[in-house]
Amino acid sequence: MEQLKTKILIVEDEEKIARLLEIELTYEGYETGKALDGLEGLEMIREQSWDLVLLDVMLPSLSGIEVLRRIRAHDQKMPVILLTAKDSVEDKVSGLDLGANDYLTKPFQIEELFARIRAALRLTKQQNDVTMPEDWLKVGNLKLSEATREVYRGDDTIDLTPREFDLLTYLMKNEKIVLNREQLLNGVWGYDYYGDTNIVDVYIRYLRNKVDKPYDHALIHTVRGVGYVLKDKI
């Protein structure tokens, strides 16, 4: 599967600068979005997932500092680099105290910006790796945390319903063990379930569409006449 591009949101009211950043970042291989005022930027941050935000401090409708404050009220991890024409110590301290990852004063060299973007993304990845819980279940490049109810295939987040999550958890805990429908019903739906056993097949199909179908090899396998097994290699 093609690796997803790193997504960077540019929040900058000077259209020429915003367009230049958009062109340079796209050329560098990033996927970009653009907002020309603080409210639009905040709305895009709330509605979409971004790997990093380039945030101008002097913005119409809502200042960059206020946008940063609202970001950090809900998200402590997303890297934010402030861009501004101001160079006073007070402005830098204010932004960094509110949780900005870095601060770049205009005018700046695009190579320096790229270096700071790479550093911020690298540090965030290191922090995420360090804080990853020890209770992750792993099969191949699939990993699942019961504590946080997060599921990843490689670097991709996989969104599951509660029942899909419970079924995948049971399969992963029984890695390489062939499980029949009754075992899966008892383990996931409970002993008091009296519905159709075909519900297992339905949810296996749901899981395959999310966990296996987008990727180059399957982890959930059918053992004809018996049931299902989750394993990395056939």
Side-chain angles (χ1 to χ4, degrees), residues 40-51:
E40 182 187 7
L42 188 62
E43 185 175 330
M44 291 180 70
I45 290 165
R46 287 172 173 170
E47 291 180 351
Q48 301 179 51
S49 176
W50 302 96
D51 297 299

Side-chain angles (χ1 to χ4, degrees), residues 121-141:
L121 292 171
R122 185 166 56 246
L123 180 60
T124 300
K125 184 179 185 305
Q126 290 171 351
Q127 290 172 340
N128 289 340
D129 290 343
V130 168
T131 57
M132 183 177 287
E134 293 299 322
D135 66 341
W136 287 74
L137 299 172
K138 298 179 182 179
V139 177
N141 65 346

Side-chain angles (χ1 to χ4, degrees), residues 147-196:
T148 63
R149 297 188 75 83
E150 293 175 284
V151 180
Y152 293 92
R153 181 94 192 244
D155 294 327
D156 300 334
T157 301
I158 297 176
D159 295 319
L160 300 179
T161 66
R163 186 68 75 186
E164 290 167 352
F165 181 89
D166 292 342
L167 177 57
L168 182 60
T169 301
Y170 193 77
L171 287 167
M172 292 183 75
K173 285 184 173 179
N174 291 278
E175 179 189 1
K176 298 181 181 178
I177 298 174
V178 180
L179 301 166
N180 60 38
R181 290 175 181 79
E182 287 71 25
Q183 288 173 307
L184 290 169
L185 278 174
N186 291 336
V188 179
W189 280 263
Y191 289 95
D192 57 350
Y193 178 81
Y194 295 104
D196 193 337

Side-chain angles (χ1 to χ4, degrees), residues 56-175:
D56 187 29
V57 170
M58 300 296 291
L59 291 169
S61 73
L62 201 65
S63 74
I65 294 296
E66 180 60 22
V67 172
L68 175 62
R69 187 187 67 78
R70 297 190 189 188
I71 290 172
R72 288 295 179 248
H74 300 283
D75 188 336
Q76 296 295 319
K77 294 183 177 181
M78 182 172 62
V80 177
I81 297 177
L82 294 179
L83 306 176
T84 182
K86 293 186 176 182
D87 59 0
S88 72
V89 173
E90 182 180 345
D91 292 318
K92 293 181 181 179
V93 170
S94 177
L96 294 172
D97 280 350
L98 280 170
N101 296 73
D102 206 344
Y103 195 108
L104 203 55
T105 303
K106 302 174 186 175
F108 51 81
Q109 296 294 321
I110 197 69
E111 290 80 8
E112 181 181 3
L113 176 61
F114 287 159
R116 296 195 183 211
I117 287 172
R118 289 192 296 267
L121 292 171
R122 185 166 56 246
L123 180 60
T124 300
K125 184 179 185 305
Q126 290 171 351
Q127 290 172 340
N128 289 340
D129 290 343
V130 168
T131 57
M132 183 177 287
E134 293 299 322
D135 66 341
W136 287 74
L137 299 172
K138 298 179 182 179
V139 177
N141 65 346
L142 177 69
K143 53 190 176 185
L144 175 151
S145 170
E146 290 186 273
T148 63
R149 297 188 75 83
E150 293 175 284
V151 180
Y152 293 92
R153 181 94 192 244
D155 294 327
D156 300 334
T157 301
I158 297 176
D159 295 319
L160 300 179
T161 66
R163 186 68 75 186
E164 290 167 352
F165 181 89
D166 292 342
L167 177 57
L168 182 60
T169 301
Y170 193 77
L171 287 167
M172 292 183 75
K173 285 184 173 179
N174 291 278
E175 179 189 1

